């Protein structure tokens, strides 16, 4: 939602359940998806080596799931793509290995599997990618607003509700 306008396209590498869900959700919201790799036929036993030649001409980014939680497979070599930013769901392997953060446009992870309490989500985003966030966008999901408020807009919102209810 933060990187595409309606009708724009992203590439997806389907290496498991979570990658598949990401692609399905993107379609639901009216974005176009190109599936550049899908290992469903092998019950997600293989993970591709992706490079710039795999990226579609019209893609704005490539989405990957770095570790496939349910299938126990992962990208041993994480893709280094120059053509488009790589957006990686690292929910089940963030902090488990060294990564070069600058190889990614956006890294996101739910904290509950590898890092900390459920309900916390970590997003590491390249500043230039989130500057012109696409509207309409719910403010709680807007990376640009979140960055501007140093991740505090949710607590500001709760404080606002609290003040209203105690009046
Ligand atoms: C568990 C998992 C999710 C979903 O996390 P929830 O916050 O529990 O819905 C997303 N991506 C990956 C790779 C996961 O392992």
């Amino acid at each position: 939602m933060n990187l595409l306008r309606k009708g724009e396209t992203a590439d997806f590498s389907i290496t498991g359940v979570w990658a598949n869900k990401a692609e399905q959700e993107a379609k639901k919201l009216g974005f176009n998806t190109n599936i550049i790799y899908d290992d469903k036929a092998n019950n997600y036993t293989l993970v591709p080596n992706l490079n710039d030649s795999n990226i579609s001409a019209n893609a704005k980014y490539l989405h990957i799931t770095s570790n496939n939680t349910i299938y126990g497979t992962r990208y041993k070599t994480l893709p280094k793509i120059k053509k488009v930013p790589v957006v990686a769901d690292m929910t089940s392997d963030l902090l488990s290995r060294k990564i070069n953060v600058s190889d990614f446009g956006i890294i996101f992870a739910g904290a509950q599997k590898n890092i900390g309490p459920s309900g916390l989500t970590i997003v590491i985003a390249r500043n230039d990618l989130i500057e012109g966030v696409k509207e309409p966008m719910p403010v709680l999901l807007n990376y640009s607003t979140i960055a501007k408020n140093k991740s505090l807009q949710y607590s500001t919102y709760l404080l606002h509700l609290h003040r209203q209810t105690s009046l």
Side-chain angles (χ1 to χ4, degrees):
M1 286 177 88
N2 280 273
L3 298 185
L4 297 180
R5 291 197 170 81
K6 277 210 167 59
E8 287 183 337
T9 304
D11 281 355
F12 287 80
S13 171
I14 312 293
T15 52
V17 160
W18 298 108
N20 189 41
K21 285 185 200 288
E23 190 268 339
Q24 298 286 318
E25 292 297 306
K27 273 198 306 215
K28 249 191 227 173
L29 290 166
F31 305 123
N32 293 330
T33 61
N34 278 332
I35 296 178
I36 63 164
Y37 180 84
D38 188 349
D39 197 44
K40 191 176 182 359
N42 298 312
N43 199 30
Y44 303 117
T45 47
L46 303 175
V47 174
N49 266 323
L50 298 172
N51 59 49
D52 278 292
S53 70
N54 301 112
I55 305 299
S56 315
N58 58 352
K60 296 285 182 197
Y61 67 86
L62 164 67
H63 179 284
I64 65 159
T65 303
S66 51
N67 183 70
N68 301 292
T69 323
I70 295 169
Y71 300 94
T73 62
R74 65 172 185 164
Y75 286 82
K76 273 196 168 172
T77 308
L78 288 160
K80 280 186 194 227
I81 307 288
K82 291 203 181 72
K83 265 191 195 167
V84 293
V86 178
V87 173
D89 175 356
M90 294 197 181
T91 298
S92 61
D93 68 344
L94 191 62
L95 299 189
S96 75
R97 56 171 155 172
K98 281 194 176 172
I99 54 163
N100 188 1
V101 170
S102 58
D103 289 340
F104 298 89
I106 292 185
I107 293 169
F108 66 91
Q112 71 276 15
K113 286 184 189 142
N114 272 35
I115 298 170
S118 57
L120 178 70
T121 303
I122 293 170
V123 179
I124 303 169
R126 234 171 62 194
N127 278 330
D128 63 302
L129 288 178
I130 61 169
E131 265 162 12
V133 157
K134 320 296 188 228
E135 297 292 347
M137 165 69 72
V139 72
L140 286 177
L141 302 177
N142 187 326
Y143 289 166
S144 177
T145 311
I146 292 170
K148 264 184 221 134
N149 293 289
K150 305 199 181 310
S151 304
L152 289 174
Q153 100 276 24
Y154 187 59
S155 43
T156 310
Y157 176 70
L158 289 179
L159 187 66
H160 176 70
L161 282 183
H162 175 72
R163 285 206 179 116
Q164 279 187 332
T165 47
S166 43
L167 276 179

